[in-house]
Amino acid sequence: MISNDIDLAANLLKQGEIVAIPTETVYGLAANVYNPEAVEKIFIAKQRPKNDPLIVHIHNIRQLEDMVGKIPHNAAVLFTNFWPGPLTILFKNTQKKVPEIVTAGSPYVAVRLPNNELTLKLLGKLDFPIAAPSANLFQKTSPTTPQHVEQQFGDKIPMILDGGECQVGVESTIVGFDEEDEKTINVYRLGGVTVEKLKEVMYDFNIVVKDGNYNLPGNAKLHYSTNKPLILGDIDKLLSENKDKKVGVLSFKKRYDTEFQFVLSEEGNLQQAAQNLYKGMQILDAMPVDIIVAELVPNNHLGKAINDRLIRAAAK
Ligand code: TXA
Ligand code: MG
């Protein structure tokens, strides 16, 4: 059920139910972080393996302190600059207050304060943070509209809180501080906060992109997949190689003379392209095509996160 009733969403969460919620990045599938049975429902609904930990979404810094204890100074500098927003920070799980099912055995708790008015209001009505992975079936594309959540889950979840279309369109950037060197910030997943922006704001820190070679469960090569095979490369070449097939085209800004296509941003705007990425993948997937062909976008700013998702979507 798609609804904008925040009180209903709050009551369901208090009762140990799961609710899909809007965030600025993608929709999440939420449960009370301190209720392991509720959190387990997320894993069951998503068909997600239990070794893949969940991000905790908080309403305020007091909730963060309750979970992880004393906050390191460097982390405080980071979140003062980027929260609310699409940045997830790994904190040492020293207090062990967060149930094992949320952290999946990781020595860290991943936390973010999302920038979505509706969800912040919802969190304000709860006396617990919520654990929420993206609201998609395991390895499938992340939803950026309530309708896309509904298509994947139907009535397997009691409620989808309707916040309209997500603004950022790709998941949060995941960062953590180096154990050996407190002036180093490791980037484990490229996302809504760009590496350029991190470098600009945290100018006296070393920003190291670990993405890809770092062994986070959620960083599996195969991820964000469409149901139809997605092939990356030069679109003109791919079109001429696949004349015998019905081909869907996912292009950055160029419109092609073909029936099934989605243009991420005709102006070539990376922010718009990011916002449209999963929607475009999902629209093409639903068209009567055999394959989807796509091209990489310029590899800077949000383009890095877009390309990361496209490469994983194309992985076999
Ligand atoms: O934008 C986002 O981050 C969205 C919205 C809903 O907030 N959430 C999201 O969650 O993308 P999910 O579950 O699709 O990806 C979370 C990833 C995990 O796969 C894992 O790589 C990393 O975050 N992660 C979460 N908790 C962790 C932990 N305790 N230690 C290490 N990595 C963790
Ligand atoms: Mg996900």
Side-chain angles (χ1 to χ4, degrees):
M1 185 234 328
I2 299 176
S3 156
N4 57 12
D5 187 342
I6 301 183
D7 289 308
L8 177 61
N11 286 333
L12 286 165
L13 289 165
K14 286 178 195 166
Q15 288 158 21
E17 283 304 325
I18 55 177
V19 173
I21 54 154
T23 82
E24 77 279 36
T25 57
V26 301
Y27 273 73
L29 190 55
N32 176 353
V33 70
Y34 294 124
N35 180 340
E37 286 96 60
V39 174
E40 179 155 35
K41 292 180 186 170
I42 297 175
F43 284 89
I44 294 168
K46 277 186 64 107
Q47 294 158 23
R48 176 174 172 125
K50 291 258 173 70
N51 66 354
D52 195 354
L54 307 183
I55 295 173
V56 183
H57 298 65
I58 56 167
H59 180 256
N60 54 58
I61 302 306
R62 187 184 47 75
Q63 288 185 327
L64 175 65
E65 288 166 342
D66 283 349
M67 268 191 304
V68 302
K70 194 174 176 303
I71 293 163
H73 174 71
N74 48 11
V77 174
L78 191 58
F79 67 62
T80 304
N81 280 289
F82 289 102
W83 284 354
L87 185 78
T88 294
I89 304 173
L90 299 180
F91 292 89
K92 269 247 153 195
N93 189 17
T94 39
Q95 303 216 120
K96 303 261 184 317
K97 262 195 164 175
V98 177
E100 182 97 21
I101 188 164
V102 176
T103 55
S106 161
Y108 301 99
V109 192
V111 185
R112 83 181 190 98
L113 202 156
N115 188 16
N116 177 282
E117 214 186 304
L118 213 57
T119 287
L120 285 174
K121 267 193 196 148
L122 170 65
L123 282 165
K125 290 177 185 282
L126 305 170
D127 57 5
F128 48 82
I130 54 182
S134 49
N136 51 276
L137 295 170
F138 183 57
Q139 292 182 335
K140 297 297 177 188
T141 52
S142 305
T144 52
T145 64
Q147 289 73 27
H148 190 188
V149 180
E150 192 169 51
Q151 276 165 29
Q152 297 204 42
F153 292 100
D155 21 296
K156 289 203 185 86
I157 56 178
M159 180 182 171
I160 301 162
L161 182 61
D162 186 356
E165 196 170 324
C166 300
Q167 292 302 305
V168 177
V170 290
E171 293 83 351
S172 61
T173 303
I174 301 179
V175 299
F177 287 94
D178 212 285
E179 300 262 316
E180 267 85 62
D181 169 16
E182 59 179 34
K183 282 284 176 192
T184 294
I185 300 174
N186 294 317
V187 178
Y188 297 114
R189 179 176 73 183
L190 297 164
V193 170
T194 65
V195 174
E196 287 88 343
K197 190 78 199 167
L198 272 174
K199 284 186 174 157
E200 181 194 318
V201 174
M202 304 296 283
Y203 53 84
D204 54 353
F205 286 76
N206 310 311
I207 313 292
V208 180
V209 179
K210 294 266 187 180
D211 175 73
N213 51 38
Y214 183 78
N215 200 14
L216 281 182
N219 260 349
K221 226 173 159 204
L222 179 76
H223 211 147
Y224 314 109
S225 313
T226 46
N227 295 317
K228 314 283 173 65
L230 185 143
I231 306 167
L232 264 181
D234 179 79
I235 291 179
D236 287 303
K237 188 159 167 272
L238 289 168
L239 278 171
S240 69
E241 281 169 8
N242 290 284
K243 285 213 173 84
D244 55 328
K245 296 196 182 81
K246 278 194 181 147
V247 180
V249 174
L250 183 66
S251 66
F252 176 40
K253 55 183 180 180
K254 190 174 151 192
R255 194 156 276 289
Y256 285 79
D257 181 24
T258 179
E259 196 181 346
F260 307 112
Q261 68 178 313
F262 188 94
V263 184
L264 290 174
S265 169
E266 299 211 20
E267 296 117 70
N269 177 319
L270 287 170
Q271 222 168 313
Q272 189 179 30
Q275 195 190 11
N276 282 331
L277 177 68
Y278 290 129
K279 184 168 77 178
M281 285 165 75
Q282 196 251 326
I283 286 174
L284 287 171
D285 215 10
M287 287 178 174
V289 297
D290 305 314
I291 57 168
I292 298 167
V293 301
E295 62 186 353
L296 292 176
V297 304
N299 201 40
N300 53 56
H301 300 279
L302 279 174
K304 286 186 188 148
I306 297 173
N307 287 341
D308 170 79
R309 306 307 189 267
L310 285 169
I311 289 165
R312 286 173 209 272
K316 295 201 180 64

